[in-house]
Amino acid sequence: MKIKNPYQRRGGFTLVELLVVISIIAILATASFPAMNAVLTNARMNASMQNAVNIHKALVNYASGNSGLYPDGKTANEALGYLVDDLTSEKPFFVSGSKWHGSTFAKGPDNLWEFSSPAGKALEPGENAYAFSVGMSPESDARLPLIASGFTEGGVGRYTNDTTKAGGRWKGKKTVVVYCDGKGDTPDLDRQSFTLKENNIDVFKQDGVDFKNPVKGN
């Protein structure tokens, strides 16, 4: 008669054991999701800031050949559209998740200006997510803001914590800004008004600052 070894390990797991393991994994995943989401958001914000810094470099190049002045326009799209040729792409003006792109350009710009004949319009509505302060030059006060994440619609200088609306990409917590000296930053916003303030001064509404919002896509 074959005697069963009491120390012999049984094969596989019981249903209860599997449920316990799955529950533990689910708890760990739930606990780590906010931290992972924050890491991804910071990475995307830093990428956006670097793109904005590159846009500043293109502005300086533009000014060197245009009487020392940055481009002008009624909207940020109109002014910044002059830089597309120098940057050889519309991609630097794209910010993943920004509602300024609308649904048409939610996954990126079409670069139609580059590939069509005749060339399409540079930075048409939805292809740019940055606000821009017109009327400035490389000689402007170094610490004045020049480029920033697009504000809320009709509310230049303000953001929102509603991620479904334009100006809510960073949940009203931070923004991307590049100053006239070319330095980029991702500063915290005032939690009461969703504006960027330093020493009780609204950074985006100082003398000499004239920000224009981007043009929203469909």
Side-chain angles (χ1 to χ4, degrees):
M1 181 178 70
K2 185 175 180 180
I3 300 175
K4 184 177 180 180
N5 184 351
Y7 299 103
Q8 183 177 358
R9 182 176 177 80
R10 64 188 180 188
F13 295 96
T14 66
L15 179 60
V16 173
E17 289 172 331
L18 286 173
L19 289 175
V20 170
V21 171
I22 292 172
S23 298
I24 292 173
I25 293 174
I27 292 171
L28 291 174
T30 302
S32 63
F33 180 77
M36 181 62 69
N37 190 47
V39 169
L40 290 174
T41 297
N42 286 336
R44 288 166 179 160
M45 179 174 283
N46 286 329
S48 175
M49 184 190 69
Q50 288 303 315
N51 278 337
V53 168
N54 289 333
I55 292 172
H56 177 271
K57 293 177 181 177
L59 284 167
V60 174
N61 289 338
Y62 178 92
S64 66
N66 290 274
S67 303
L69 298 175
Y70 291 148
D72 200 354
K74 295 180 180 179
T75 67
N77 286 42
E78 182 179 343
L80 296 177
Y82 290 100
L83 309 178
V84 172
D85 187 55
D86 182 54
L87 291 168
T88 68
S89 176
E90 294 173 313
K91 291 182 179 179
F93 304 93
F94 176 77
V95 177
S96 176
S98 173
K99 298 307 176 183
W100 277 107
H101 298 303
S103 58
T104 305
F105 295 109
K107 294 183 178 180
D110 60 7
N111 272 343
L112 184 60
W113 69 274
E114 186 178 19
F115 299 110
S116 64
S117 181
K121 182 179 179 181
L123 294 189
E124 56 190 305
E127 290 189 294
N128 169 47
Y130 294 101
F132 175 65
S133 182
V134 299
M136 290 190 173
S137 74
E139 305 303 320
S140 298
D141 187 337
R143 292 309 295 166
L144 289 179
L146 182 64
I147 304 166
S149 297
F151 307 112
T152 57
E153 291 182 272
V156 170
R158 290 181 60 86
Y159 293 96
T160 177
N161 61 352
D162 188 343
T163 57
T164 67
K165 296 182 179 180
R169 176 61 186 93
W170 312 118
K171 301 180 180 180
K173 295 180 179 180
K174 291 189 173 186
T175 186
V176 168
V177 59
V178 174
Y179 298 91
C180 286
D181 60 2
K183 293 181 180 179
D185 196 9
T186 56
D188 294 329
L189 296 176
D190 181 271
R191 299 301 295 130
Q192 301 300 318
S193 59
F194 301 111
T195 59
L196 176 56
K197 294 182 178 180
E198 293 179 357
N199 300 321
N200 294 320
I201 297 174
D202 191 331
V203 172
F204 296 120
K205 295 184 179 180
Q206 301 175 82
D207 291 340
V209 177
D210 185 14
F211 265 98
K212 305 296 181 183
N213 250 339
V215 183
K216 191 176 180 181
N218 296 321

